[in-house]
């Protein structure tokens, strides 16, 4: 798909890479990656004894599981319902709602977690608003913030604004990877400090945040500033759909 349009349709694809463990590395454009060695820490998805901070990160919330359920095919959802002794009749959304109610039981929640996170993965893709793909990563296990952190930490310049369906998880995980110099700051990747006043203004749609470098590059030099914007501020934001589904009041920032 990436190479289509760069060679005649009657010719064989010169960019084909046969999949195998040795050469199935993440793909990041030459001008985007920081070096010819890119990160792939997927092996660390395997459960191990972890420190308290990492254990907290691995504690997947009910909302996160619900988001992952929304991505599953109807056949997968029905299979999960059967495993959890939930009625398998109804539409895909009806079944997901029934499962969510059932997930209030820790035993059911564990079954759903094991089924989704133990399943094969897919693709992690980073693209811009214009639809240009900058990074691709093939996942052996279900996608998580770790996969996107691998890609972003392999970039020459971290984007000033990232949009992700689990913004809090991506910011927390990435900052834990480099605690001496957290990539997502200020405010741990949020647009404002989560004070009572700012949270209230954000809920009412009245919070104003100035990001002038989105329109014009910073006039003054800033250490580690992005070459396009000149800013060294880095934020992770939810897309509108996921923000509406989140129950964490801090996610509004």
């Amino acid at each position: 798909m990436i190479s289509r349009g760069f060679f005649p349709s009657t010719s064989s694809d010169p960019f084909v890479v046969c999949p195998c463990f040795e050469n199935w590395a993440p793909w990041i454009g030459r001008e985007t990656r920081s070096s010819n060695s890119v990160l792939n820490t997927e092996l660390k998805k395997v459960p191990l004894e972890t420190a308290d901070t990492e254990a907290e990160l691995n504690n997947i919330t009910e909302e996160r599981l619900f988001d992952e359920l929304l991505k599953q095919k109807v056949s997968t959802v029905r299979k999960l319902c059967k495993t959890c002794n939930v009625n398998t009749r109804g539409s895909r959304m009806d079944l997901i709602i029934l499962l969510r109610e059932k997930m209030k039981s820790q035993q059911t929640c564990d079954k759903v977690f094991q089924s989704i996170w133990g399943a094969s993965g897919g693709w992690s893709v980073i693209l811009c608003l214009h639809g240009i793909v900058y990074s691709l990563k093939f996942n052996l296990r279900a996608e998580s913030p770790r996969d996107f952190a691998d890609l972003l930490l392999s970039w020459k310049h971290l984007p000033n604004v990232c949009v992700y369906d689990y913004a809090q998880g991506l910011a927390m995980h990435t900052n834990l990877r480099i605690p001496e110099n957290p990539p997502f700051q200020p405010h741990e990747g949020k647009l404002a400090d989560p004070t009572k006043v700012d949270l209230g203004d954000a809920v009412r749609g009245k919070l104003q945040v100035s990001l002038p470098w989105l329109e014009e590059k910073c006039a003054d030099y800033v250490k580690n500033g992005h070459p396009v914007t000149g800013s060294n501020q880095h934020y992770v934001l939810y897309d509108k759909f996921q923000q509406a589904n989140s129950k964490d009041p801090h996610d509004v920032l």
Side-chain angles (χ1 to χ4, degrees):
M1 289 295 292
I2 298 173
S3 60
R4 186 177 296 171
F6 289 92
F7 59 92
S9 59
T10 54
S11 303
S12 58
D13 189 343
F15 304 103
V16 167
V17 177
C18 296
C20 68
F21 187 79
E22 286 75 16
N23 63 14
W24 202 252
W27 176 87
I28 302 176
R30 183 181 302 172
E31 301 300 324
T32 303
R33 61 180 183 259
S34 59
S35 72
N36 288 335
S37 296
V38 297
L39 295 170
N40 189 349
T41 63
E42 194 168 14
L43 63 92
K44 293 188 178 181
K45 289 181 182 177
V46 178
L48 297 172
E49 291 185 11
T50 58
D52 289 342
T53 49
E54 286 199 354
E56 180 182 355
L57 179 64
N58 290 331
N59 184 21
I60 305 298
T61 63
E62 180 186 326
E63 287 76 22
R64 178 63 171 159
L65 274 177
F66 179 69
D67 289 342
E68 291 302 318
L69 275 174
L70 291 172
K71 301 176 184 177
Q72 306 303 312
K73 296 179 180 178
V74 64
S75 58
T76 304
V77 176
R78 289 191 192 281
K79 187 176 179 180
L80 270 173
C81 287
K82 188 174 182 179
T83 303
C84 300
N85 296 319
V86 175
N87 191 339
T88 57
R89 294 182 180 180
S91 68
R92 176 174 166 277
M93 199 62 211
D94 289 339
L95 298 179
I96 289 174
I97 292 172
L98 289 173
L99 269 177
R100 187 174 191 179
E101 287 297 314
K102 192 78 172 179
M103 280 195 301
K104 292 177 180 178
S105 158
Q106 186 60 47
Q107 183 179 5
T108 304
C109 199
D110 290 343
K111 286 182 180 179
V112 175
F113 174 84
Q114 291 169 6
S115 298
I116 292 178
W117 260 263
S120 59
W123 294 96
S124 294
V125 183
I126 298 180
L127 66 161
C128 70
L129 293 174
H130 307 92
I132 305 299
V133 174
Y134 284 86
S135 298
L136 280 172
K137 183 173 185 281
F138 175 72
N139 302 320
L140 297 176
R141 301 188 65 135
E143 169 263 312
S144 76
R146 175 177 293 280
D147 300 303
F148 288 95
D150 281 350
L151 294 173
L152 290 170
L153 293 176
S154 298
W155 279 32
K156 191 182 301 183
H157 305 288
L158 189 70
N160 293 111
V161 179
C162 297
V163 178
Y164 183 55
D165 65 359
Y166 186 30
Q168 183 186 49
L170 178 59
M172 187 186 299
H173 173 85
T174 309
N175 285 352
L176 282 173
R177 297 258 297 255
I178 312 179
E180 67 280 4
N181 185 25
F184 290 110
Q185 53 182 326
H187 316 305
E188 298 181 341
K190 300 178 180 69
L191 286 174
D193 200 35
T195 63
K196 186 176 181 179
V197 173
D198 284 345
L199 285 170
D201 287 344
V203 169
R204 292 189 297 271
K206 295 185 178 297
L207 180 66
Q208 295 185 355
V209 178
S210 177
L211 304 175
W213 39 263
L214 285 175
E215 296 182 349
E216 187 175 354
K217 185 175 180 179
C218 296
D220 298 326
Y221 170 78
V222 178
K223 185 179 178 181
N224 297 324
H226 194 282
V228 175
T229 64
S231 172
N232 61 0
Q233 299 176 4
H234 301 101
Y235 303 99
V236 191
L237 309 180
Y238 280 88
D239 59 63
K240 290 184 177 180
F241 176 76
Q242 299 298 338
Q243 183 175 328
N245 285 339
S246 176
K247 293 183 178 179
D248 188 333
H250 289 187
D251 288 343
V252 72
L253 298 174

